[in-house]
Coordinates of all heavy atoms in Angstrom, one line a residue:
D9 N 105.9 26.4 159.9 CA 105.6 26.0 161.3 C 106.2 27.1 162.3 O 107.1 26.8 163.1 CB 106.2 24.6 161.6 CG 107.8 24.6 161.4 OD1 108.3 25.4 160.7 OD2 108.4 23.8 162.1
D14 N 111.0 30.9 160.9 CA 109.9 31.0 159.9 C 109.4 32.5 159.9 O 109.1 33.0 158.9 CB 108.7 30.1 160.3 CG 109.1 28.7 160.4 OD1 109.8 28.3 161.3 OD2 108.6 27.9 159.5
T36 N 102.4 21.4 161.9 CA 103.1 21.2 163.2 C 104.6 21.1 163.0 O 105.0 20.5 162.0 CB 102.5 19.9 163.8 OG1 101.1 20.0 163.8 CG2 103.0 19.8 165.3
G37 N 105.3 21.5 163.9 CA 106.8 21.3 163.9 C 107.4 22.0 165.0 O 107.5 21.4 166.1
N38 N 107.9 23.2 164.8 CA 108.5 23.9 165.9 C 107.6 24.0 167.1 O 108.0 24.1 168.3 CB 108.8 25.4 165.5 CG 110.0 25.4 164.5 OD1 110.9 24.6 164.6 ND2 109.9 26.2 163.5
F74 N 104.5 13.9 166.0 CA 105.4 15.1 165.8 C 106.2 15.3 167.1 O 105.6 15.1 168.2 CB 104.7 16.4 165.5 CG 104.4 16.5 164.0 CD1 103.0 16.7 163.6 CD2 105.4 16.5 163.0 CE1 102.7 16.8 162.3 CE2 105.0 16.7 161.7 CZ 103.7 16.8 161.3
A121 N 108.6 25.4 151.3 CA 108.3 24.6 152.5 C 109.3 24.8 153.6 O 110.5 24.5 153.4 CB 108.2 23.1 152.1
L122 N 108.8 25.3 154.7 CA 109.7 25.7 155.8 C 109.5 24.9 157.0 O 110.2 25.1 158.1 CB 109.5 27.2 156.2 CG 109.6 28.2 155.0 CD1 109.3 29.6 155.6 CD2 111.0 28.2 154.4
G123 N 108.7 23.8 157.0 CA 108.5 23.0 158.1 C 108.5 21.5 157.6 O 108.9 21.2 156.5
P124 N 108.1 20.6 158.5 CA 108.0 19.2 158.1 C 107.0 19.1 156.9 O 106.1 19.9 156.7 CB 107.3 18.6 159.3 CG 107.8 19.4 160.5 CD 107.8 20.8 160.0
L125 N 107.3 18.1 156.0 CA 106.7 18.1 154.7 C 105.3 17.4 154.6 O 104.9 17.1 153.5 CB 107.7 17.5 153.7 CG 108.9 18.4 153.4 CD1 110.0 17.6 152.7 CD2 108.5 19.6 152.6
T126 N 104.7 17.3 155.7 CA 103.5 16.5 155.8 C 102.4 17.0 154.9 O 101.7 16.3 154.1 CB 103.0 16.5 157.3 OG1 104.1 16.2 158.1 CG2 101.9 15.4 157.4
V147 N 112.6 23.5 149.4 CA 112.4 22.8 150.7 C 113.6 23.2 151.6 O 114.7 23.0 151.3 CB 112.5 21.2 150.5 CG1 112.5 20.5 151.9 CG2 111.3 20.7 149.7
M148 N 113.2 23.7 152.8 CA 114.2 23.9 153.8 C 114.3 22.6 154.6 O 113.3 22.2 155.3 CB 113.8 25.0 154.8 CG 115.0 25.4 155.7 SD 115.3 24.3 157.1 CE 117.0 23.7 156.7
G149 N 115.4 21.9 154.3 CA 115.5 20.6 155.0 C 116.7 19.9 154.6 O 117.3 20.1 153.6
G150 N 117.1 18.9 155.5 CA 118.2 18.0 155.2 C 119.5 18.5 155.7 O 119.7 19.7 156.0
N157 N 120.8 18.7 163.2 CA 120.6 19.6 164.3 C 119.6 19.0 165.3 O 119.3 19.7 166.3 CB 120.1 21.0 163.9 CG 118.9 20.9 163.1 OD1 118.2 19.9 162.9 ND2 118.4 22.1 162.5
V158 N 119.1 17.8 165.1 CA 118.2 17.2 166.0 C 119.0 15.9 166.6 O 119.0 15.6 167.8 CB 116.9 16.7 165.4 CG1 116.0 16.1 166.4 CG2 116.2 17.9 164.7
A162 N 120.3 14.0 161.5 CA 119.1 14.5 160.9 C 118.8 16.0 161.2 O 119.0 16.5 162.3 CB 117.9 13.7 161.5
E163 N 118.3 16.7 160.2 CA 117.8 18.0 160.3 C 116.3 18.0 160.8 O 115.6 17.1 160.4 CB 118.0 18.7 159.0 CG 117.5 20.2 158.9 CD 115.9 20.2 158.7 OE1 115.4 19.3 158.0 OE2 115.3 21.1 159.3
F164 N 115.9 19.0 161.5 CA 114.6 18.9 162.2 C 113.4 18.6 161.2 O 112.5 17.8 161.5 CB 114.3 20.2 163.0 CG 113.0 20.2 163.7 CD1 112.8 19.5 164.9 CD2 111.9 20.9 163.1 CE1 111.5 19.5 165.5 CE2 110.7 20.9 163.7 CZ 110.5 20.2 164.9
N165 N 113.2 19.4 160.2 CA 112.0 19.3 159.3 C 111.9 17.9 158.7 O 110.8 17.3 158.6 CB 112.1 20.3 158.2 CG 111.8 21.7 158.7 OD1 111.2 21.9 159.7 ND2 112.3 22.7 157.9
I166 N 113.1 17.4 158.3 CA 113.0 16.0 157.7 C 112.8 15.0 158.8 O 112.0 14.0 158.7 CB 114.3 15.7 156.9 CG1 114.6 16.8 155.9 CG2 114.3 14.3 156.3 CD1 113.6 16.9 154.8
Y167 N 113.5 15.2 159.9 CA 113.4 14.2 161.1 C 112.0 14.1 161.5 O 111.5 13.0 161.9 CB 114.3 14.7 162.2 CG 114.2 13.9 163.5 CD1 115.0 12.8 163.6 CD2 113.3 14.3 164.5 CE1 114.9 12.0 164.8 CE2 113.3 13.5 165.7 CZ 114.0 12.4 165.8 OH 114.0 11.6 166.9
D168 N 111.2 15.2 161.5 CA 109.9 15.2 162.1 C 108.8 14.5 161.3 O 107.8 14.1 161.8 CB 109.4 16.6 162.4 CG 108.9 16.8 163.9 OD1 109.1 15.8 164.7 OD2 108.3 17.8 164.2
D169 N 109.1 14.3 160.0 CA 108.2 13.5 159.1 C 109.0 12.9 158.0 O 108.9 13.4 156.8 CB 107.0 14.2 158.6 CG 106.0 13.3 158.1 OD1 106.3 12.1 157.8 OD2 104.8 13.7 157.9
P170 N 109.9 11.9 158.2 CA 110.8 11.4 157.2 C 110.0 10.7 156.0 O 110.4 10.8 154.9 CB 111.7 10.4 157.9 CG 111.0 10.1 159.2 CD 110.1 11.2 159.5
A173 N 108.9 13.3 153.7 CA 110.1 13.8 152.9 C 110.3 12.9 151.7 O 110.5 13.3 150.6 CB 111.3 13.9 153.8
D235 N 115.2 29.2 157.4 CA 114.0 29.5 156.7 C 114.2 30.8 155.8 O 113.8 30.8 154.7 CB 112.8 29.6 157.6 CG 112.4 28.3 158.1 OD1 112.8 27.2 157.6 OD2 111.7 28.2 159.1

Side-chain angles (χ1 to χ4, degrees):
D9 63 331
D14 300 71
T36 310
N38 289 322
F74 279 121
L122 304 178
L125 289 165
T126 316
V147 172
M148 193 281 119
N157 59 4
V158 184
E163 176 279 327
F164 178 80
N165 288 337
I166 305 298
Y167 176 83
D168 231 9
D169 195 342
D235 290 343

